[in-house]
Amino acid sequence: MEPSISIRHLDLSFGAVDVLKDLNLDIGKGEFLVLLGSSGCGKSTLLNCVAGLLDVSDGQIFISGRNVTWEEPSKRGIGMVFQSYALYPQMTVEGNLTFGLKNAGMPRAEIAERVERAARILQIEPLLKRKPAALSGGQRQRVAIGRALVRDVDVFLFDEPLSNLDAKLRTDLRAEIKELHQTLGNTMIYVTHDQIEAMTLADRIAIMRGGLILQLDSPKEIYNRPANKYVAGFIGSPSMNFFEGVVDLGGAPVFSCEAGDFDLSGYEFGAAGPQGGPAWLGIRPEHIAHGPDAAACPVRMEATVRLVEPLGSDTLARVQVGERLLWIRLDGQSSIRPGDTLTIGWHAERANLFDSATENRI
Amino acid sequence: MAASRPNQLFRNKSAKIAAIPMIATALVVFLGGTIWTVAHSFTSSKLLPKWDLVGLTQYERLWGTRRWLISIENLMIYGVCMLVFCFVIGFVLAALMDQKIRFENTFRAIILYPYALSFIVTGLVWQWILNPEFGLQHVIRSLGGNRPPAECEGVGLSLSCWLSGIEFDPLYNPRIAIYGILIAALWQGTGLIMVLMLAGLRGIDQEIWRASRVDGIPAWKTYLFVVIPMMRPVFVTTLVLIGAAIVKVYDLIVAQTGGGPGNATEMPAKYVYDYMFGGQNLGQGFAASTMMLLAVLIVVIPWAFMEFGRKNRG
């Protein structure tokens, strides 16, 4: 498939600080790509480069097969939605939607048609005559999406659009954005630091750190087979539990650490094949079985419950194994109490191994 | 049984006690003084205030005085020009300053610096600069070699003759002297306006600018249709500051021209001062100051209604 956006060897530095380094990225037509990372990882910078709001230091950007590296943002065929909505406060909603089009000298009839369509899709028809100050946060963000929509472009860019909304509204609007993508089928790039937004919305997630893309994959793959220890710890809440130890390939593969020796038979090693030596073993809280289920697991151990956090739908517990504290996820109706002892265990194929030195998956 | 509701008068006692001096000052000095002045403007007070009502005589005399009429005319010219130029120059400087330029702090300090000088110093400095004998005119004429007019008779087009013959002496020409004052006032006042406007511009969310770039709107249009409407509160503040500075202009005149040449740069505030303390004619001074108050109220009251009267709309 022909990529909708191609980024080739992109560099960006502010003075001596390199924000993006030799970044390559292809985004397919109609794909929903999420750039995910903590603050300062370069995700917003990358989005602004694609939008043309920042001049790149080196490299090229193609949108719909056209080299737009040095084009003005308005000529790139993009629409953008900002965290603070960035609506023009002195204009009505309709004024906000039409300002850019009027400026471009578009015929009135076509403007009216586009505004009508955008308002229908986003259900903001009753708000058209109001000013932004008279709208709620969710409505404002809808108008901001509408402003991108009336531009009738191939690519939508979202810069943390839900971060200024409260939790309930965020969930609602998240679903609406996903629906919008399914309806329109446009290419969308979405920047967020919220892993739930990333997991729920994305076709593919690019996890960024220090100006580099650490892993670019489907949400499922990122969750199940994180490429390195940072990604493994970043995705999932509570975070993955880690053990430091050594992979021993003499005989049946075994991971030995101070908490014991864990059987690794069934673990799917990476393309490079099994690799011994110092390593981290990671296991997600929801992949740790307990009670009767644990009895069937090849890896088993006794744990003492230290802390219980009931969430309703499920219960989180911090348990102690030897000196190590682990998070485990239990059923919401669980009645365990601090001080209880549990048998916990897991299957080796659920575990993740990372090289101690490189922190890459093995 | 519920405790009885405490007396409203004694709630927040310490705050109320602390506010008493200021309330007293406002009532006695501002309000009391104003009423006293207005009342005595209807008397024939000379050196000392005297309760001897003479009706509107002082006002008739005031509006029959040529010096007062010139003062009013000067204030109009000065006020309109000051308002317009201060706003425009201040905003343009602020917009230029907001382009992420190098040495912004240095430029800002340089432009704001005149504001740190008193009007007396500003007036003196500009009196010297505009003095034809050793000021700007002299410098320009020297560039042309300072050739005497006789030498240039019939020479035709010559840069040195043109430079030597240039005339720039606003403070010595009664028709344009008021603009000489204006130049000094702008030099002193625009810095503050620029700083205020710059603060206003900095308060505009950067994402608004980005959104307008994505929309393809040229920068000047963004300023005109988006940014300037958003800066309304800053504009109101600057308007109040400039307005107050215009009405009370006094020391600049005294330092720069002393009201001259002739009556060419007289101002109402100077008229008031001269009659009250120089001319020993309190009644006339009071009448003039009452007229100034009236003029200010005519502007302020409708504005206050527009600004605060609309608060109860939805």
Side-chain angles (χ1 to χ4, degrees), chain A residues 179-194:
Chain A
E179 246 174 64
L180 189 70
H181 179 246
Q182 284 170 3
T183 318
L184 300 175
N186 292 37
T187 309
M188 295 189 178
I189 307 183
Y190 187 107
V191 165
T192 182
H193 60 261
D194 182 321

Side-chain angles (χ1 to χ4, degrees), chain B residues 12-253:
Chain B
N12 301 330
K13 235 178 295 166
S14 46
K16 282 177 180 161
I17 291 170
I20 284 174
M22 194 56 225
I23 293 172
T25 310
L27 283 179
V28 175
V29 178
F30 293 127
L31 198 62
T34 306
I35 292 170
W36 190 88
T37 304
V38 172
H40 279 78
S41 74
F42 298 103
T43 69
S44 64
S45 306
K46 287 288 180 190
L47 176 59
L48 292 169
K50 179 171 66 170
W51 192 247
D52 166 30
L53 288 172
V54 291
L56 290 173
T57 312
Q58 296 288 9
Y59 291 90
E60 279 162 21
R61 225 191 104 198
L62 178 68
W63 287 102
T65 311
R66 202 175 126 66
R67 183 176 157 190
W68 173 255
L69 295 177
I70 292 175
S71 299
I72 294 289
E73 190 189 334
N74 279 340
L75 186 67
M76 289 291 170
I77 298 173
Y78 174 82
V80 170
C81 293
M82 186 72 183
L83 202 63
V84 171
F85 286 114
C86 232
F87 247 88
V88 172
I89 298 175
F91 185 80
V92 170
L93 282 177
L96 292 176
M97 210 64 115
D98 197 31
Q99 308 300 313
K100 298 196 176 78
I101 53 167
R102 242 176 244 219
F103 308 121
E104 185 200 309
N105 288 343
T106 316
F107 282 119
R108 204 175 45 202
I110 291 173
I111 296 173
L112 185 59
Y113 211 84
Y115 190 73
L117 302 178
S118 72
F119 264 126
I120 298 295
V121 176
T122 307
L124 272 179
V125 166
W126 279 91
Q127 188 193 345
W128 294 335
I129 293 177
L130 298 178
N131 185 309
E133 296 303 317
F134 42 80
L136 210 55
Q137 176 183 314
H138 174 73
V139 171
I140 297 173
R141 284 187 178 187
S142 304
L143 284 178
N146 229 343
R147 299 168 70 176
E151 221 178 273
C152 288
E153 205 92 26
V155 170
L157 272 173
S158 149
L159 182 65
S160 65
C161 275
W162 180 70
L163 285 174
S164 300
I166 214 146
E167 273 190 32
F168 187 68
D169 56 347
L171 296 186
Y172 291 79
N173 182 342
R175 278 181 296 114
I176 56 169
I178 190 70
Y179 299 100
I181 305 270
L182 185 69
I183 292 173
L186 283 174
W187 177 77
Q188 208 220 21
T190 41
L192 180 75
I193 304 304
M194 179 206 72
V195 171
L196 287 171
M197 300 259 190
L198 186 60
L201 285 174
R202 289 284 151 82
I204 305 270
D205 186 355
Q206 282 302 307
E207 292 196 336
I208 291 268
W209 282 103
R210 295 182 186 181
S212 82
R213 278 188 70 193
V214 171
D215 266 348
I217 295 156
W220 66 269
K221 260 193 178 170
T222 311
Y223 271 118
L224 212 57
F225 294 111
V226 181
V227 172
I228 291 180
M230 285 176 81
M231 279 175 58
R232 199 187 126 94
V234 178
F235 284 152
V236 172
T237 308
T238 47
L239 198 70
V240 170
L241 287 177
I242 301 175
I246 290 170
V247 174
K248 71 181 187 193
V249 60
Y250 168 77
D251 29 13
L252 183 63
I253 309 282

Side-chain angles (χ1 to χ4, degrees), chain A residues 140-263:
Chain A
R140 282 182 215 188
Q141 198 52 289
R142 255 181 247 235
V143 175
I145 295 173
R147 193 168 55 183
L149 206 58
V150 290
R151 291 175 54 75
D152 199 18
V153 288
D154 301 330
V155 178
F156 277 44
L157 307 175
F158 293 90
D159 193 0
E160 308 214 14
L162 306 182
S163 300
N164 279 11
L165 300 174
D166 63 58
K168 168 91 175 63
L169 219 51
R170 206 180 299 172
T171 318
D172 295 347
L173 210 54
R174 193 174 73 204
E176 278 181 41
I177 290 178
K178 188 157 193 175
E179 246 174 64
L180 189 70
H181 179 246
Q182 284 170 3
T183 318
L184 300 175
N186 292 37
T187 309
M188 295 189 178
I189 307 183
Y190 187 107
V191 165
T192 182
H193 60 261
D194 182 321
Q195 47 166 306
I196 311 227
E197 275 172 35
M199 296 294 281
T200 50
L201 289 170
D203 292 326
R204 280 194 302 168
I205 299 177
I207 296 194
M208 295 186 65
R209 185 196 193 187
L212 298 170
I213 294 180
L214 295 185
Q215 188 170 8
L216 173 62
D217 242 321
S218 68
K220 207 171 167 185
E221 194 67 13
I222 283 190
Y223 177 79
N224 287 327
R225 297 178 59 83
N228 58 43
K229 187 165 170 265
Y230 177 79
V231 174
F234 191 78
I235 291 285
S237 174
S239 287
M240 193 180 268
N241 301 299
F242 288 105
F243 296 90
E244 193 169 13
V246 178
V247 174
D248 186 359
L249 295 175
V254 166
F255 179 85
S256 14
C257 64
E258 47 182 308
D261 288 353
F262 305 151
D263 182 19

